[in-house]
Amino acid sequence: MSLTATKPRILVIDDEPQILRFLRISLRSEGYEVLQAGSATEGLMLASSEAPDAIVLDLGLPDMDGLEALKQLRRSSRIPVLVLSVRSSEAEKVEALDNGANDYVTKPFGIREFVARIRVLLRDREPAALRPAANVYRSAGLIIDFVKRSVILDDEDIHLSKKEYALLARLATTPDHVVTQQQLLAEIWGPTHKEDTHYLRIVVAKLRNKLGDAPSSPRFLVTEQGVGYRLITYEAE
């Protein structure tokens, strides 16, 4: 990943001193500048005044539920947000993602995975000149041409149905980010089909088969159980 000349700024909003210290040390060692807040109120003020490149948000804050803080943030900002919480139920993850979170990590967590997810969030903050062409997605032999609506895998044309292409293209517009089942159903099938998850499972299975993807060891399409799906992007060699 290419970074801008200045250090990317990460705002961590969490009321646990141990977590704040651990993340401050870990993120600084990776070359990031770290801002910290111990409450939602302080965090929202820093988000407004300091314009961080990404935010790490705990849900269990002393003055305000983290979901409410997320909703307030989304009224005026599209800063990428990674939710970091002990809340691990599928419903809570879906609610956070549906309310504007870009990713969700459950405590306890591995720092290597955490930093990797931060790198993914920051891809959205890179200058346009550093991003791949907007009309083509390329990763590990997979090429999606959004203009021609064509898909090539390892130099072979892949024929997809309209729904299969729509699903793959939607995931490719926000690679490495989880898209919830409800989002996909609403966008591809329409808002009246948000609960028809069997439609989605059928199309995902067919798409995986055409991509030669195994659910247990995915090359491209990852299932976030009970939450949604994300498309893996590999760094260019």
Side-chain angles (χ1 to χ4, degrees):
M1 170 185 147
S2 299
L3 296 177
T4 56
T6 58
K7 291 182 180 180
R9 309 176 82 192
I10 312 299
L11 170 59
V12 181
I13 307 174
D14 198 303
D15 66 330
E16 295 184 55
Q18 302 93 329
I19 292 290
L20 288 173
R21 181 175 183 276
F22 176 60
L23 291 181
R24 181 176 68 250
I25 293 171
S26 300
L27 290 171
R28 283 179 177 173
S29 71
E30 294 290 332
Y32 301 115
E33 181 180 344
V34 181
L35 304 171
Q36 295 182 309
S39 69
T41 301
E42 182 186 5
L44 290 170
M45 290 177 60
L46 285 174
S48 175
S49 63
E50 299 297 329
D53 295 287
I55 295 174
V56 177
L57 175 66
D58 182 29
L59 295 184
L61 297 168
D63 59 333
M64 184 190 303
D65 186 80
L67 279 177
E68 179 57 32
L70 178 60
K71 292 175 185 177
Q72 290 191 25
L73 178 70
R74 282 294 175 253
R75 289 171 191 160
S76 60
S77 173
R78 304 309 303 169
I79 297 171
V81 175
L82 185 152
V83 167
L84 181 63
S85 177
V86 295
R87 302 179 192 176
S88 59
S89 75
E90 293 174 1
E92 287 168 317
K93 291 180 180 179
V94 169
E95 187 175 10
L97 292 164
D98 279 344
N99 278 285
N102 298 83
D103 203 351
Y104 195 112
V105 173
T106 305
K107 298 177 183 178
F109 58 94
I111 191 60
R112 290 182 64 187
E113 178 186 358
F114 176 83
V115 172
R117 289 176 183 260
I118 289 292
R119 287 199 298 269
V120 169
L121 290 188
L122 291 175
R123 287 176 188 164
D124 289 343
R125 306 295 284 183
E126 290 180 343
L130 299 180
R131 297 176 187 162
N135 61 343
V136 178
Y137 170 90
R138 300 174 186 271
S139 179
L142 177 64
I143 302 174
I144 305 170
D145 190 315
F146 298 114
V147 176
K148 297 179 180 179
R149 298 178 64 84
S150 65
V151 178
I152 297 173
L153 177 60
D154 298 330
D155 298 322
E156 296 286 337
D157 289 324
I158 305 297
H159 176 72
L160 301 180
S161 69
K162 289 183 178 180
K163 288 290 192 291
E164 291 162 1
Y165 174 82
L167 174 61
L168 183 62
R170 172 61 184 87
L171 295 174
T173 60
T174 53
D176 295 302
H177 291 177
V178 179
V179 184
T180 66
Q181 295 176 9
Q182 286 73 23
Q183 283 178 283
L184 291 169
L185 286 164
E187 292 177 21
I188 297 172
W189 279 269
T192 61
H193 294 282
K194 290 179 69 174
E195 303 304 321
D196 295 329
T197 55
H198 60 288
Y199 290 171
L200 189 56
R201 288 196 298 270
I202 291 169
V203 172
V204 167
K206 290 181 177 179
L207 181 57
R208 279 199 169 113
N209 183 57
K210 292 182 178 181
L211 295 177
D213 226 0
S216 58
S217 181
R219 179 181 175 188
F220 299 109
L221 191 57
V222 174
T223 300
E224 298 290 352
Q225 196 62 42
V227 178
Y229 301 90
R230 62 185 171 91
L231 189 66
I232 301 174
T233 299
Y234 298 88
E235 297 286 349
E237 296 182 356

